[in-house]
Amino acid sequence: MSVFTTVTAEDLGPFLKRYSIGSLLELKGIAAGITNTNYFVTTSHGRYVLTLFENLTADELPFYVNLMAHLANHGIAVAAPVANLADEYVDELNGRPTLLVQCVPGTVVDKPSAAQCFEVGEMLAQMHLAACSYRGEMKNPRGADWWNATAPCLFELMSAADAEQLRAELALQAEQCFDDLPRGVIHADLFRDNVLLNGDHVGGFIDFYYACNDVFLYDLAITLNDWCASESGDVNADRAKALLQGYQGVRVLQANEIAAWPVLLRAAALRFWVSRLYDFYKPAAGEMTFAKDPWHFQRIINAHAERQDFWL
Amino acid sequence: MSVFTTVTAEDLGPFLKRYSIGSLLELKGIAAGITNTNYFVTTSHGRYVLTLFENLTADELPFYVNLMAHLANHGIAVAAPVANLADEYVDELNGRPTLLVQCVPGTVVDKPSAAQCFEVGEMLAQMHLAACSYRGEMKNPRGADWWNATAPCLFELMSAADAEQLRAELALQAEQCFDDLPRGVIHADLFRDNVLLNGDHVGGFIDFYYACNDVFLYDLAITLNDWCASESGDVNADRAKALLQGYQGVRVLQANEIAAWPVLLRAAALRFWVSRLYDFYKPAAGEMTFAKDPWHFQRIINAHAERQDFWL
């Protein structure tokens, strides 16, 4: 559950006085999310989500919250941050840095349709273009440097065959050079549970706390690996084609992107294979959550390695 | 009618390519408003209003559009401007500077209830506070300098009795000094037709093109004179009390504001008496609209002059 820091209506009274969003009607903890504390805050003006950051510090937040505000100002479906009377998005409550955002309409969809994948692809491309005028910079904290540094402590804990395959995947990616591919700000974690869908429409992309500067196509690959793959690692061709069509209706892929696409799909799976292996073998002290299945992403890599058609 | 510059779906195609709001589904002229051209633009992402400015130039717009964006970012119910891919709110179409804003929910209410007046008062106070961190500056284009310069050309066109009363009102206002009253950015034209109400809630304040830096209480007086007065100039005490209670729930009036309130109510009526007299006696060449009744505001001044109770 995701309420790590308790907030009462009494705590919220003076906090809301620093905003222009009316008076409190209802306060309700949100039981999703595993990193931060989240509450629904309903006021006389509307419905908001209040996040108390449990790990990120106030210094680290501007890249993410200014990005969300930038995207909202460009009409991208994201939860728009609300500034306080001091004209700051980040405030503080009960010893934690906080962010208030407008509620976005919609729900998480576990089994998306091709039409929904099309809309997600379109909004992702629009987000990539709208973020081109964003001035913040953030290195990918889960890029090649990270996985090359993290994997060695995992090899001895894995089966010999898995360790061999992981070494081979790392070596394959180390041979690549993506420097010429179009890049900019990416979401980097656009799984189904980070998108609220309102019917077929994108109500909002949420959880931008892995956003960073990297290759656009890598973001599309991360998205496809989650939105279009089944539990067995198999990719549904209709959904994959729809996602790519939605994306390319806004931003057409270049020749060098099409050439890099098969290996970027594997890179996008590798990143989550390694992070899930790490969470599985090296759980943080006191962590109570169930680690997600790392081998799901190994199966996706296997499926991509055997593939002839990449839906382009 | 308010479509002075025609926009076709063909015109809009390349224009929308400069935004991140999806593709055009419907385009429809809006028949309200007398200054600018307005269209409803429905895209695959949502519903927007496109304004083509017929008088204001691109140089004059940043104060207003940045103010609207600032207020939207603070959770004030206003139509949020949408930035284009060049990160500009003001674009251009068919030779006119343009602004795209998100649609706000609600409709114009001709006969507001006391509950609705309360909500408008509360949002107005929240707007005054949220705009304190806005850095733009704009002199009131319809302040005392303007009415003192404009009235002389009207005297000879009015009845002798009306001209005498107008001279006396101008003299009364010239004796006042409001320099010590709290001031900041005001809407300055918050009539019923510039507020969309969604049930009892404020869906959005619109039409910020008279916004300027002036005395907060003057804004409240303009609002009261329209929201709470009948055709005879009489003020409904329930609605006036509700408006003031809503406002003071957010920002309590100071002693010097309470002292200035009766004469500011007359100043707020004088401003519209003079502008409507001017529109009536000196219509712009080729103007086809019917001038609004100037004497309505004379009746409001008379009612305020005779009043004992100012609902405080």
Side-chain angles (χ1 to χ4, degrees):
Chain A
M1 86 92 141
S2 70
V3 174
F4 305 97
T5 303
T6 302
V7 175
T8 67
E10 289 67 41
D11 298 330
L12 215 54
F15 178 85
L16 287 181
K17 286 269 183 208
R18 300 200 292 272
Y19 287 83
S20 306
I21 61 168
S23 50
L24 184 65
L25 297 180
E26 196 190 21
L27 173 66
K28 199 174 158 191
I30 301 177
I34 52 170
T35 312
N36 300 315
T37 295
N38 291 295
Y39 279 88
F40 283 123
V41 174
T42 308
T43 75
S44 49
H45 287 200
R47 204 155 181 241
Y48 306 86
V49 173
L50 171 68
T51 299
L52 286 83
F53 295 94
E54 301 292 341
N55 298 313
L56 287 167
T57 65
D59 286 352
E60 294 168 317
L61 285 167
F63 173 82
Y64 308 108
V65 302
N66 292 335
L67 172 62
M68 291 161 73
H70 179 94
L71 294 175
N73 288 344
H74 284 73
I76 302 299
V78 300
V82 180
N84 64 19
L85 292 175
D87 209 14
E88 301 281 351
Y89 290 121
V90 177
D91 204 304
E92 195 188 304
L93 184 62
N94 296 356
R96 298 282 182 276
T98 61
L99 179 66
L100 257 179
V101 300
Q102 311 254 12
C103 263
V104 291
T107 52
V108 167
V109 171
D110 194 45
K111 296 187 191 310
S113 66
Q116 290 170 327
C117 290
F118 181 95
E119 296 281 330
V120 168
E122 194 208 37
M123 190 64 80
L124 181 63
Q126 302 249 28
M127 189 198 87
H128 287 164
L129 295 187
C132 285
S133 55
Y134 182 61
R135 292 195 187 130
E137 291 270 346
M138 180 66 65
K139 189 176 184 266
N140 188 343
R142 294 286 180 272
D145 289 351
W146 173 81
W147 67 50
N148 286 320
T150 302
C153 74
L154 300 171
F155 293 141
E156 61 181 23
L157 301 166
M158 303 166 69
S159 74
D162 281 3
E164 191 183 343
Q165 185 182 357
L166 180 54
R167 278 198 181 88
E169 275 316 292
L170 294 168
L172 171 74
Q173 295 299 331
E175 289 165 12
Q176 313 301 320
C177 176
F178 299 131
D179 289 354
D180 289 340
L181 297 183
R183 49 191 296 130
V185 178
I186 69 169
H187 183 285
D189 195 28
L190 200 63
F191 282 46
R192 284 160 293 169
D193 55 358
N194 285 334
V195 176
L196 300 183
L197 285 169
N198 194 14
D200 282 352
H201 289 287
V202 177
F205 290 174
I206 60 174
D207 207 348
F208 278 78
Y209 305 109
Y210 283 107
C212 57
N213 293 82
D214 208 328
V215 168
F216 287 144
L217 201 61
Y218 177 68
D219 213 13
L220 187 57
I222 288 172
T223 307
L224 185 143
N225 283 344
D226 186 69
W227 284 78
C228 309
S230 69
E231 280 307 303
S232 66
D234 230 38
V235 172
N236 178 288
D238 287 345
R239 295 203 306 251
K241 278 180 187 165
L243 181 77
L244 283 161
Q245 276 170 11
Y247 189 89
Q248 293 210 78
V250 176
R251 193 181 80 79
V252 177
L253 299 184
Q254 302 177 176
N256 61 352
E257 292 183 287
I258 290 169
W261 179 232
V263 74
L264 270 171
L265 284 163
R266 288 167 74 165
L270 175 63
R271 173 254 180 269
F272 290 96
W273 189 22
V274 173
S275 68
R276 288 193 176 182
L277 283 169
Y278 188 85
D279 292 342
F280 183 85
Y281 287 118
K282 304 268 190 182
E287 197 150 285
M288 298 178 303
T289 56
F290 292 95
K292 291 176 182 167
D293 175 13
W295 295 280
H296 174 63
F297 281 100
Q298 184 182 26
R299 292 191 293 274
I300 290 178
I301 289 172
N302 292 341
H304 288 329
E306 289 165 14
R307 199 172 306 287
Q308 304 299 319
D309 169 20
F310 292 93
W311 320 286
L312 289 166
Chain B
M1 85 92 139
S2 70
V3 173
F4 305 97
T5 303
T6 303
V7 175
T8 66
E10 289 66 42
D11 297 330
L12 214 54
F15 178 84
L16 287 181
K17 287 270 183 208
R18 301 200 290 272
Y19 286 83
S20 305
I21 61 166
S23 49
L24 184 66
L25 298 181
E26 195 190 21
L27 173 67
K28 199 174 157 190
I30 300 176
I34 52 168
T35 312
N36 299 313
T37 296
N38 290 296
Y39 279 89
F40 282 124
V41 174
T42 308
T43 74
S44 48
H45 287 202
R47 203 154 183 241
Y48 307 85
V49 173
L50 172 67
T51 299
L52 287 82
F53 294 94
E54 302 292 341
N55 297 315
L56 286 167
T57 65
D59 286 353
E60 294 169 316
L61 285 168
F63 173 82
Y64 309 109
V65 302
N66 291 335
L67 172 62
M68 291 161 73
H70 179 93
L71 295 174
N73 289 343
H74 285 73
I76 302 299
V78 300
V82 179
N84 63 19
L85 293 175
D87 208 15
E88 301 281 351
Y89 290 121
V90 178
D91 205 305
E92 196 189 304
L93 184 62
N94 296 356
R96 298 284 181 276
T98 62
L99 179 66
L100 256 177
V101 300
Q102 310 256 12
C103 263
V104 290
T107 51
V108 167
V109 171
D110 193 45
K111 296 188 191 308
S113 66
Q116 290 170 326
C117 290
F118 181 95
E119 295 281 329
V120 168
E122 193 207 37
M123 189 65 80
L124 180 63
Q126 302 250 26
M127 188 197 87
H128 287 164
L129 295 186
C132 286
S133 55
Y134 181 62
R135 292 195 189 130
E137 291 271 346
M138 180 67 64
K139 186 174 185 265
N140 188 343
R142 294 286 180 274
D145 288 351
W146 172 82
W147 67 49
N148 285 322
T150 303
C153 74
L154 300 171
F155 294 140
E156 61 181 21
L157 301 167
M158 302 166 69
S159 74
D162 282 1
E164 190 183 345
Q165 185 181 356
L166 179 53
R167 278 197 180 88
E169 274 316 291
L170 294 168
L172 171 73
Q173 295 299 332
E175 289 164 13
Q176 313 301 320
C177 176
F178 300 130
D179 289 354
D180 289 339
L181 298 184
R183 49 192 295 130
V185 178
I186 68 170
H187 183 286
D189 195 28
L190 200 63
F191 281 46
R192 284 160 293 169
D193 55 0
N194 285 333
V195 176
L196 299 183
L197 285 169
N198 194 14
D200 282 351
H201 290 287
V202 177
F205 289 173
I206 59 175
D207 206 347
F208 279 78
Y209 305 108
Y210 282 106
C212 56
N213 293 82
D214 208 327
V215 168
F216 287 144
L217 201 61
Y218 177 67
D219 214 11
L220 186 58
I222 289 171
T223 307
L224 185 142
N225 282 344
D226 186 69
W227 284 78
C228 309
S230 68
E231 281 306 304
S232 66
D234 230 36
V235 172
N236 178 290
D238 287 344
R239 294 202 307 249
K241 279 181 186 163
L243 180 79
L244 283 161
Q245 276 170 11
Y247 190 90
Q248 293 210 77
V250 175
R251 193 180 80 80
V252 177
L253 299 185
Q254 303 176 175
N256 61 352
E257 290 182 288
I258 290 169
W261 179 232
V263 74
L264 270 171
L265 283 163
R266 288 167 75 163
L270 175 62
R271 173 257 181 266
F272 290 96
W273 189 23
V274 173
S275 68
R276 289 192 175 183
L277 284 169
Y278 188 85
D279 293 343
F280 184 85
Y281 288 118
K282 304 266 188 182
E287 196 151 285
M288 296 178 305
T289 56
F290 292 95
K292 291 177 181 168
D293 174 13
W295 296 279
H296 174 63
F297 281 99
Q298 184 183 26
R299 293 191 292 272
I300 290 179
I301 289 172
N302 292 341
H304 288 328
E306 290 165 14
R307 199 171 308 286
Q308 304 300 318
D309 169 20
F310 292 93
W311 320 287
L312 287 167

